[in-house]
């Protein structure tokens, strides 16, 4: 079925309409997708900037503004479904984001602490510093991931070394997309391709590396078992449904928009199976 770019003119959906929240590091949008006259159509119902905040010397994501903008776009889609899209029903909603960024939720079901931008100055040089705690070879064998200061692992160790209070108050670690899925559904869960950008996920087992969690002193209780893209998390929770009009709409995991890691099987003399990371960037390598 041919696909179309998001349309500026009104499309007359009739049937199931799926909503996608597409968040990038500098902008975001809400897209409605469905079939119109046998053709897949996309309609943009919200577009907004993603502008980081400077608070004292810290660079942070403005996650609350993003949440407001997301709800505005979802509300617009729900209104169109009720008024101009005759016979249309909102069938699902999902959020895809860039990788590596994350937030925490505490035992009171509130966001714990700020959500740090991956380009904050405190993350510089962390790709080397983490190897002083756990050997570089061990980290690569466990994750197959490129060493970069922006990786979630580097950010977590920077937070730990800076004495961030989240290490006392946090109950759940959520990647950025998972944070918005939690705001939508009230369910704390982790999507696998996004988790693969943390440098803590073992691509062979598709589970968190207990060797690395233990080695870096990160609480295993924070990390929910990852689920694949396409998994239904739950429905839009009542408070959000009241604000947006999305009543009884399933919230579904979307794949990370940046990239994911996969491990290939097979034997390779004195080296580990190859790793392939593909998406906005592509990295391929062998673990010794």
């Amino acid at each position: 079925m041919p696909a179309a770019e998001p349309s500026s003119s009104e499309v007359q959906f009739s049937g199931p309409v799926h909503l996608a929240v597409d968040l990038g590091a500098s902008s975001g949008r809400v897209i409605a997708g469905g079939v119109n006259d046998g053709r897949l159509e996309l309609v943009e119902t919200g577009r907004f900037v993603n502008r980081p905040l400077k608070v004292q010397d810290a660079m942070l994501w403005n996650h609350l503004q993003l949440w407001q903008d997301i709800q505005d776009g979802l509300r617009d889609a729900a209104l169109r479904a009720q008024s101009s899209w005759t016979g249309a029903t909102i069938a699902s909603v999902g959020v895809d984001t860039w990788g590596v960024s994350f937030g925490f939720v505490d035992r009171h079901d509130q966001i714990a602490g700020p959500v740090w931008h991956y380009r904050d100055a405190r993350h510089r040089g962390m790709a080397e510093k983490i190897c002083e705690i756990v050997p570089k070879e061990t980290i690569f064998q466990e994750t197959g991931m490129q060493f970069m200061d922006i990786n979630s692992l580097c950010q977590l160790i920077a937070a730990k070394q800076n004495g961030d209070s989240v290490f006392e108050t946090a109950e759940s670690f959520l990647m950025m997309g998972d944070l918005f899925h939690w705001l939508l559904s009230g369910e704390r869960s982790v999507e696998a391709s996004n988790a693969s950008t943390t440098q803590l996920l073992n691509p062979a087992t598709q589970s968190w590396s207990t060797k690395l969690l233990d080695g870096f002193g990160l609480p295993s209780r924070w990390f929910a078992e990852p689920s694949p893209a396409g998994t239904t998390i739950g429905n839009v929770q009542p408070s959000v449904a009241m604000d947006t009009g999305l009543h009884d709409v399933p919230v579904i995991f979307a794949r990370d928009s940046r990239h994911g890691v996969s491990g290939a099987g097979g034997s390779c003399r004195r080296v580990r199976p190859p790793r392939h990371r593909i998406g906005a960037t592509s990295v391929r390598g062998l673990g010794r």
Side-chain angles (χ1 to χ4, degrees), residues 136-209:
K136 185 173 186 177
E137 183 180 64
T138 300
I139 299 171
F140 188 77
Q141 286 176 347
E142 285 293 301
T143 67
M145 187 169 176
Q146 182 183 19
F147 287 79
M148 298 183 288
D149 291 342
I150 66 174
N151 291 346
S152 310
L153 173 58
C154 294
Q155 297 182 56
L156 282 166
I157 301 310
K160 185 177 183 180
Q161 293 181 349
N162 278 272
D164 284 15
S165 61
V166 294
F167 277 79
E168 301 298 326
T169 61
E171 190 174 82
S172 298
F173 168 94
L174 298 177
M175 297 299 289
M176 203 67 171
D178 304 324
L179 193 67
F180 290 112
H181 285 137
W182 165 70
L183 288 167
L184 278 167
S185 68
E187 299 293 331
R188 305 182 193 184
S189 49
V190 175
E191 190 275 319
S193 70
N194 226 323
S196 77
T197 71
T198 60
Q199 207 170 17
L200 285 168
L201 191 81
N202 186 312
T205 64
Q206 286 297 296
S207 297
W208 302 107
S209 168

Side-chain angles (χ1 to χ4, degrees), residues 28-48:
R29 58 183 181 167
V30 179
I31 297 289
V35 176
N36 179 47
D37 290 334
R39 177 180 171 85
L40 176 62
E41 298 279 5
L42 305 177
V43 175
E44 188 175 277
T45 65
R47 178 176 284 273
F48 43 89

